[in-house]
Amino acid sequence: GDVYKRQNKIVFLNKASFFVEQEIQIAELGQPLQSYFAPVDNTYYVLGEKAFLVLEDGVVKHTYTAKQDTVLKAFRVDKSELYIVNLNMANKNQKVTELCLEKIGRLDFKVLKKQCVQAIGDPNQLTLHLLKSSFVVDDSLTNMHIVYYKDMSFQSMKGYTQAKSFVYVNELDLKIYETPNEYKIFMIDPQIKVPRSVGSLKKENNENSIFFTHKNAEEADELIVASFLAPRLRVYSYDINDKTGASNKTLLETRLPNEITNINKIWCSLSEEAKCLAITSELLTFLVNVQGRVLWAREEALSKIQNVEFFDHIIVHDEMANPYYLKLENDGIWNVNQIIQNFVLRIITHFQKMVQQVQSLIQIASQIKGIESLKQIIHGSTERSHEFYYGLKQLIIAATETGQIFGLESSDGTILWRRSFSPKQQLLKIIPLRREISEGVFETDCALVFQNPTNSTSAIVLVDPLKGSILQWVEIKGEIQNVIRLSYEVLRLGEALLFVKKDQTYDVYPKTFAEYHRESPERLAQMVDKMFFYEINKRNNTISGKKIKGSKVLDVWNVALSQEEQIIDYSYSQKDDYNFLSSMHEGNVITLPEDRRLLFKHVDANNLAILTRGQANTEAQEVYINLVILNTFSGRVIYSAKQEYVSSQHPINLLFDENSVFVTYFNTRSLQNEIWAVEFYRNHVENSFQQMLSTYFEEGYKDNLEEFYFQKELPIVTFQQKFAFPYGIKKIILANTLRKVTRRNLLVITERNQIYSLDRNLISTRRPITIDGKVVPNKDSFESAELLPYKYNIPVNSINFITYSHELSEIRFAKLSPTKLESTALMLAYGDDLFFNKVTPDRIYDSLDESFNYLMIAGAVVVVIIGTIFMKSLAKKSKVHKIFYTT
């Protein structure tokens, strides 16, 4: 099996099934570097920066530990000896002072011989290559060190840049250096021990050459070179004994597609059907034949997704632009004086909508030219109305760590388009930005916010999510600290982006509002002037409140956390919802009706959950975590609690939703994966229906932030409870729907890369605690009779696994997008694998299942109609006969 390091373990995997066969707990290796399996004596060798291990039959037999100021770099296994290369470091400046080679006996594991040479330089810029007979090291001071491990000899030479590549040809080690104009080829011969030049290859501008050997080149000193100058790929042989290049022979020459602009590695089969397998720097892997046709391609960059957003396929018609809804909003829903006018306006608007639908039906009817065209229109119309209109088919925009932006089709994962950006541009956010194309009709663009740390500039790139074409590119001066979308609910009839900069100034995109907004710049400035937000400084462990005043960003309050702790995560309600600003300016509650009473959830988008950790027990790898709930409008801490016995080797997660906060961790005492739930309620329970109606219509259930959080005692009650989950928890995500009516379950990504839908009722703090079958009421009697009694262990139902029986690899996160069906959301889980599925937390209750038999129901309707007509005729006939005989 293969060997790799995972959480201080050596894990043995079966190569055929890739299942774990054995795990061995080991000491800290440091950064894992190299592993090797000797099939003769069934021995494993594992090297890390701090230790070297020898394992026999799954048991650690020998351990070589590096000294305090020594870093291990490489090893070589010989018949009777081991050779280990290590670096001696200086304590103060962490520079390499010596490069050493140690010979170690394989039987007794004792150091037989040690040789060192001075090699001062930066260890981060040091490269080491293992050749057939030697180790070759390039340091940061243009020194090349050749370590011949057979006789433990060293050779150091100055004036060499970092090597481009190493190749092995006919028992000879070749080293190629790249200069601006040519490639210099040196031979490292263990017999001569003097690197000698064997030729050079001229280099064209922007040419990318990859050197490798062909399997038939062992009989001759022949170097196979693949030269790529977009879009031309040429593979030819180079005789290292012929410096003139006269014997060079072209083996393959072809033209690649224009979208391939670089090649990092290439392997070629130069048989009768010549083919080349290549990998680009963007991790595009493809196989091309001699005619230049790409036989297949794989976008391996999709395994490194770091940001995902969903976009609608269709243009959005906003119902709030309807005159009837606009009048209701302006005059108030309960305005008695406007009842007649509102009724007439509603009739008129519905009549206008009916006229539009009739016109669309006439247009469709004009396109019918036969049975086939009718079938196509019906099929296309059904598919569009069902998938496109209800948002069941969306566009996925994914950004990768390698600088690519992909447009994917959610229904089948088809790559619609692909764009590459400069590695210097750091992507901050992908933001859907709605653009008004006519009154009440919007089109959603994809706004990419980039930042260039080298010159402290930023840019916003507006992209068509369907085609990938760039609509606009705007440069922004200064380094961006925060990006806030001013949503439609805040601005009305337009959207904009607010950029908060590090120099305590701000900028707004777009500058001119003629294209995006009917609002005036003065109107927008008034809205921005009311905004407040916060900044988290993880270095200083501080949270500061900010407010925009004029052209500056001012500090309002500041909260300092303990310097002995580290901020590991933060969360707030509606964290992934770009419209959360619409509910930040007013405190709010959500009513929770129960039998004969009404409870009130304390919900405020200004509340921020911060999770910190401090070191508790280094040997046991334990930490403690602190949960702090902070109101960002007033800067007031409304809740704080501490949890001990938390493993530092397992993921710790935080999620804030409405009035609930969830923290997951591994408890080292109970040896369980725990979910810590904290919920906030108002300390008032309404038992009178008449009083509830009176309060709703006269005062409402909204708070004045200027007064609420400055009370001496807040009218908030807090409950907390802990639950044990039977699987390791890697990440938790909220299952969010459009109107937030459907039960907001938690999606748990387990350490086995499965996704489980966890019922929120099972982790509610209001589950009643029972002793001897009797409910023990809490201090405010907030327990719910509708929930199951509290139990520490959460029961698991296998049908709640969204990933079913799929074996996925290293799933890191999942992104959800609501659809217009309240029961359904779309989910994309990404990591080394991509997994897409529909999520229905409360099952499907507002649409028919995909397997629904439409033909059967249509047939049943037809049978009922025919039966009704037939029975009606019989009844009529019977009545006539009865009248005839009676008269």
Side-chain angles (χ1 to χ4, degrees):
D2 296 332
V3 184
Y4 68 96
K5 175 178 176 288
R6 175 176 172 268
Q7 296 180 352
N8 298 329
K9 293 179 181 178
I10 296 293
V11 183
F12 294 83
L13 302 177
N14 184 282
K15 277 191 173 182
S17 63
F18 217 63
F19 290 153
V20 176
E21 292 186 343
Q22 185 181 3
E23 294 188 6
I24 303 175
Q25 193 73 30
I26 59 172
E28 182 62 47
L29 274 179
Q31 179 66 28
L33 299 175
Q34 190 182 348
S35 63
Y36 170 72
F37 172 59
V40 177
D41 52 6
N42 198 29
T43 303
Y44 288 91
Y45 301 88
V46 182
L47 178 74
E49 285 188 345
K50 293 299 180 182
F52 178 73
L53 305 177
V54 179
L55 299 91
E56 296 179 3
D57 299 324
V59 179
V60 178
K61 290 294 184 181
H62 302 289
T63 302
Y64 176 88
T65 306
K67 296 179 181 179
Q68 182 177 358
D69 301 325
T70 301
V71 176
L72 306 183
K73 294 298 292 184
F75 74 94
R76 172 81 71 181
V77 179
D78 204 1
K79 293 182 179 180
S80 57
E81 290 89 16
L82 297 170
Y83 299 91
I84 298 179
V85 177
N86 57 59
L87 305 175
N88 290 334
M89 313 289 290
N91 286 328
K92 295 181 180 180
N93 52 16
Q94 285 297 300
K95 298 293 184 181
V96 180
T97 58
E98 284 185 324
L99 173 67
C100 297
L101 177 66
E102 294 184 348
K103 181 192 290 188
I104 299 175
R106 289 180 62 180
L107 297 178
D108 54 8
F109 220 63
K110 292 183 178 180
V111 178
L112 304 178
K113 190 175 181 180
K114 182 177 181 179
Q115 292 278 29
C116 296
V117 65
Q118 287 188 349
I120 300 175
D122 187 352
N124 296 322
Q125 299 182 16
L126 183 143
T127 59
L128 186 144
H129 297 269
L130 279 68
L131 303 184
K132 184 175 179 62
S133 58
S134 60
F135 301 95
V136 179
V137 181
D138 288 330
D139 63 22
S140 59
L141 303 178
T142 69
N143 295 317
M144 178 176 68
H145 308 281
I146 306 173
V147 185
Y148 299 98
Y149 66 87
K150 287 289 185 180
D151 56 359
M152 300 287 291
S153 62
F154 283 83
Q155 184 180 18
S156 299
M157 304 178 66
K158 286 186 174 291
Y160 289 86
T161 58
Q162 293 281 333
K164 179 177 176 63
S165 62
F166 289 82
V167 295
Y168 166 69
V169 177
N170 194 21
E171 301 293 332
L172 301 175
D173 292 326
L174 296 182
K175 188 173 186 181
I176 295 99
Y177 289 99
E178 181 178 358
T179 67
N181 301 320
E182 62 179 357
Y183 298 100
K184 294 183 178 180
I185 305 173
F186 291 86
M187 178 185 296
I188 301 175
D189 193 335
Q191 303 298 326
I192 305 175
K193 292 188 178 180
V194 176
R196 59 185 178 88
S197 175
V198 295
S200 62
L201 296 171
K202 289 187 177 181
K203 178 182 175 183
E204 298 183 37
N205 292 334
N206 299 321
E207 183 185 40
N208 185 17
S209 294
I210 299 96
F211 302 87
F212 59 95
T213 58
H214 185 239
K215 60 182 181 180
N216 296 329
E218 296 179 358
E219 300 176 357
D221 297 338
E222 189 178 50
L223 179 67
I224 306 299
V225 181
S227 173
F228 178 66
L229 180 60
R232 180 180 62 87
L233 173 64
R234 177 174 173 247
V235 181
Y236 61 94
S237 63
Y238 175 80
D239 191 345
I240 62 175
N241 296 318
D242 183 8
K243 294 185 178 181
T244 64
S247 58
N248 291 359
K249 181 181 178 182
T250 299
L251 305 174
L252 181 148
E253 188 166 7
T254 186
R255 182 184 179 91
L256 299 181
N258 293 329
E259 58 266 22
I260 299 173
T261 57
N262 65 81
I263 293 179
N264 265 14
K265 288 187 177 182
I266 190 168
W267 299 265
C268 291
S269 171
L270 303 176
S271 56
E272 294 181 0
E273 283 190 39
K275 298 175 185 177
C276 288
L277 178 69
I279 301 177
T280 68
S281 59
E282 292 88 6
L283 300 184
L284 170 64
T285 305
F286 63 93
L287 183 69
V288 62
N289 61 11
V290 69
Q291 288 81 25
R293 187 169 68 91
V294 176
L295 304 179
W296 57 261
R298 284 174 56 90
E299 292 285 1
E300 301 296 341
L302 289 173
S303 65
K304 296 185 177 295
I305 292 177
Q306 62 178 0
N307 204 340
V308 166
E309 279 296 337
F310 285 79
F311 291 79
D312 286 326
H313 262 286
I314 60 175
I315 296 174
V316 178
H317 294 263
D318 191 6
E319 65 177 12
M320 289 305 295
N322 187 309
Y324 168 71
Y325 291 105
L326 289 175
K327 194 171 190 304
L328 284 183
E329 184 181 5
N330 294 329
D331 299 338
I333 299 176
W334 307 106
N335 194 330
V336 180
N337 299 324
Q338 300 291 330
I339 291 179
I340 298 177
Q341 293 93 325
N342 290 341
F343 177 75
V344 173
L345 184 60
R346 180 167 186 175
I347 296 297
I348 294 173
T349 53
H350 279 282
F351 178 77
Q352 292 173 346
K353 190 172 182 179
M354 183 183 68
V355 171
Q356 293 176 356
Q357 292 178 346
V358 171
Q359 290 174 347
S360 63
L361 288 174
I362 294 173
Q363 184 180 3
I364 292 174
S366 64
Q367 299 174 0
I368 300 175
K369 298 180 181 179
I371 300 298
E372 292 299 325
S373 62
L374 178 62
K375 289 181 179 179
Q376 292 178 1
I377 290 173
I378 293 174
H379 177 73
S381 177
T382 304
E383 181 181 2
R384 179 178 177 84
S385 62
H386 182 69
E387 292 187 337
F388 286 89
Y389 181 77
Y390 291 106
L392 299 175
K393 193 174 184 180
Q394 299 184 18
L395 297 170
I396 301 173
I397 308 300
T400 68
E401 299 174 6
T402 55
Q404 280 75 51
I405 310 292
F406 290 91
L408 307 175
E409 179 60 70
S410 67
S411 58
D412 55 7
T414 302
I415 298 177
L416 302 176
W417 54 268
R418 173 181 179 271
R419 276 198 169 273
S420 298
F421 290 90
S422 171
K424 295 181 181 179
Q425 298 286 348
Q426 177 187 355
L427 181 67
L428 297 181
K429 281 188 177 181
I430 303 176
I431 303 177
L433 198 62
R434 287 200 290 183
R435 174 164 54 95
E436 187 179 28
I437 57 179
S438 63
E439 185 174 353
V441 182
F442 291 86
E443 206 171 49
T444 304
D445 295 329
C446 174
L448 306 174
V449 182
F450 290 98
Q451 184 165 283
N452 191 338
T454 57
N455 56 10
S456 298
T457 60
S458 306
I460 176 169
V461 182
L462 214 61
V463 177
D464 184 347
L466 182 60
K467 300 178 181 178
S469 56
I470 295 179
L471 305 175
Q472 194 174 19
W473 186 302
V474 179
E475 298 288 341
I476 299 174
K477 294 182 180 179
E479 193 171 349
I480 294 176
Q481 193 169 26
N482 198 359
V483 183
I484 301 173
R485 187 179 83 160
L486 305 177
S487 65
Y488 171 78
E489 285 76 6
V490 175
L491 288 177
R492 291 295 171 209
L493 305 177
E495 289 182 339
L497 295 180
L498 178 73
F499 302 95
V500 181
K501 303 178 184 178
K502 282 195 173 181
D503 60 357
Q504 299 300 303
T505 61
Y506 73 92
D507 205 346
V508 178
Y509 172 83
K511 289 285 189 182
T512 59
F513 298 88
E515 182 181 356
Y516 273 71
H517 307 285
R518 290 204 300 262
E519 296 285 355
S520 65
E522 292 77 15
R523 168 68 172 156
L524 180 66
Q526 293 175 5
M527 294 177 180
V528 170
D529 208 35
K530 298 178 181 179
M531 289 186 56
F532 54 89
F533 49 96
Y534 54 88
E535 174 190 334
I536 299 176
N537 191 326
K538 291 187 177 182
R539 290 185 178 180
N540 301 330
N541 270 16
T542 59
I543 302 99
S544 55
K546 306 285 184 179
K547 181 177 177 61
I548 293 178
K549 191 69 176 177
S551 60
K552 287 288 184 180
V553 179
L554 306 178
D555 289 336
V556 180
W557 52 263
N558 188 76
V559 174
L561 304 177
S562 173
Q563 294 297 319
E564 297 180 356
E565 299 174 0
Q566 175 189 4
I567 298 176
I568 56 176
D569 201 1
Y570 71 94
S571 182
Y572 53 88
S573 184
Q574 306 177 31
K575 185 174 183 179
D576 293 328
D577 187 355
Y578 287 108
N579 298 325
F580 78 97
L581 280 176
S582 60
S583 57
M584 284 188 67
H585 300 278
E586 294 180 335
N588 205 352
V589 295
I590 293 180
T591 56
L592 189 64
E594 287 193 351
D595 186 25
R596 297 184 180 180
R597 64 175 181 172
L598 191 68
L599 306 180
F600 301 93
K601 297 180 180 179
H602 177 71
V603 179
D604 191 349
N606 300 291
N607 289 341
L608 173 71
I610 305 161
L611 194 64
T612 65
R613 74 174 182 182
Q615 194 64 46
N617 189 334
T618 307
E619 294 182 359
Q621 297 178 336
E622 284 182 355
V623 296
Y624 65 87
I625 56 177
N626 265 334
L627 175 63
V628 178
I629 310 298
L630 176 71
N631 179 259
T632 58
F633 175 78
S634 61
R636 180 171 182 173
V637 176
I638 62 176
Y639 179 80
S640 178
K642 181 179 180 180
Q643 170 63 38
E644 296 182 333
Y645 311 124
V646 177
S647 171
S648 61
Q649 301 301 305
H650 290 75
I652 302 173
N653 298 290
L654 172 66
L655 180 64
F656 198 155
D657 176 49
E658 291 185 348
N659 68 320
S660 305
V661 180
F662 303 99
V663 182
T664 68
Y665 54 88
F666 183 79
N667 191 312
T668 57
R669 290 296 186 267
S670 63
L671 299 180
Q672 294 277 3
N673 292 281
E674 286 190 342
I675 299 177
W676 177 16
V678 181
E679 293 181 337
F680 301 92
Y681 294 89
R682 294 295 175 88
N683 59 5
H684 172 67
V685 179
E686 188 64 73
N687 296 302
S688 170
F689 181 73
Q690 181 179 359
Q691 182 63 35
M692 179 193 70
L693 293 178
S694 175
T695 305
Y696 181 79
F697 289 112
E698 294 179 6
E699 304 174 8
Y701 288 108
K702 293 186 178 181
D703 305 311
N704 184 354
L705 293 181
E706 301 286 349
E707 301 175 358
F708 182 83
Y709 286 101
F710 295 96
Q711 303 177 66
K712 186 176 181 180
E713 295 290 337
L714 294 178
I716 301 174
V717 60
T718 306
F719 302 100
Q720 66 170 330
Q721 195 57 271
K722 296 181 176 65
F723 304 89
F725 191 69
Y727 299 101
I729 301 175
K730 188 187 294 186
K731 200 72 179 177
I732 53 174
I733 301 102
L734 180 67
N736 197 11
T737 54
L738 184 64
R739 302 295 178 187
K740 302 175 178 58
V741 176
T742 303
R743 185 180 305 164
R744 299 156 70 82
N745 288 352
L746 297 188
L747 301 184
V748 180
I749 302 179
T750 69
E751 291 187 348
R752 294 189 176 184
N753 300 300
Q754 298 294 310
I755 302 178
Y756 183 82
S757 179
L758 178 59
D759 191 341
R760 282 280 285 272
N761 288 338
L762 294 177
I763 50 176
S764 172
T765 61
R766 298 179 58 241
R767 288 179 63 179
I769 298 176
T770 58
I771 298 179
D772 297 331
K774 296 182 179 180
V775 176
V776 180
N778 54 38
K779 59 180 180 179
D780 295 290
S781 298
F782 272 77
E783 68 278 347
S784 173
E786 299 175 1
L787 299 177
L788 294 173
Y790 169 75
K791 288 186 178 180
Y792 175 65
N793 292 290
I794 299 175
V796 172
N797 190 342
S798 58
I799 66 173
N800 290 338
F801 279 101
I802 300 174
T803 48
Y804 309 119
S805 59
H806 296 288
E807 293 185 6
L808 304 176
S809 174
E810 289 303 316
I811 297 299
R812 296 185 296 273
F813 198 74
K815 177 73 176 181
L816 278 85
S817 175
T819 66
K820 290 186 179 180
L821 297 176
E822 177 58 26
S823 67
T824 309
L826 304 182
M827 180 200 71
L828 177 69
Y830 54 90
D832 288 354
D833 285 335
L834 298 182
F835 179 79
F836 179 83
N837 201 358
K838 296 175 184 176
V839 177
T840 53
D842 270 343
R843 311 302 175 196
I844 299 177
Y845 56 80
D846 52 4
S847 62
L848 296 175
D849 191 76
E850 293 179 355
S851 60
F852 184 80
N853 196 328
Y854 292 93
L855 186 61
M856 181 179 290
I857 193 68
V861 171
V862 171
V863 169
V864 170
I865 293 174
I866 295 174
T868 303
I869 295 173
F870 178 72
M871 295 303 294
K872 186 177 180 180
S873 64
L874 288 180
K876 185 177 180 181
K877 185 177 180 181
S878 175
K879 186 177 181 181
V880 171
H881 280 226
K882 187 176 181 180
I883 295 173
F884 177 79
Y885 285 115
T886 55
T887 57

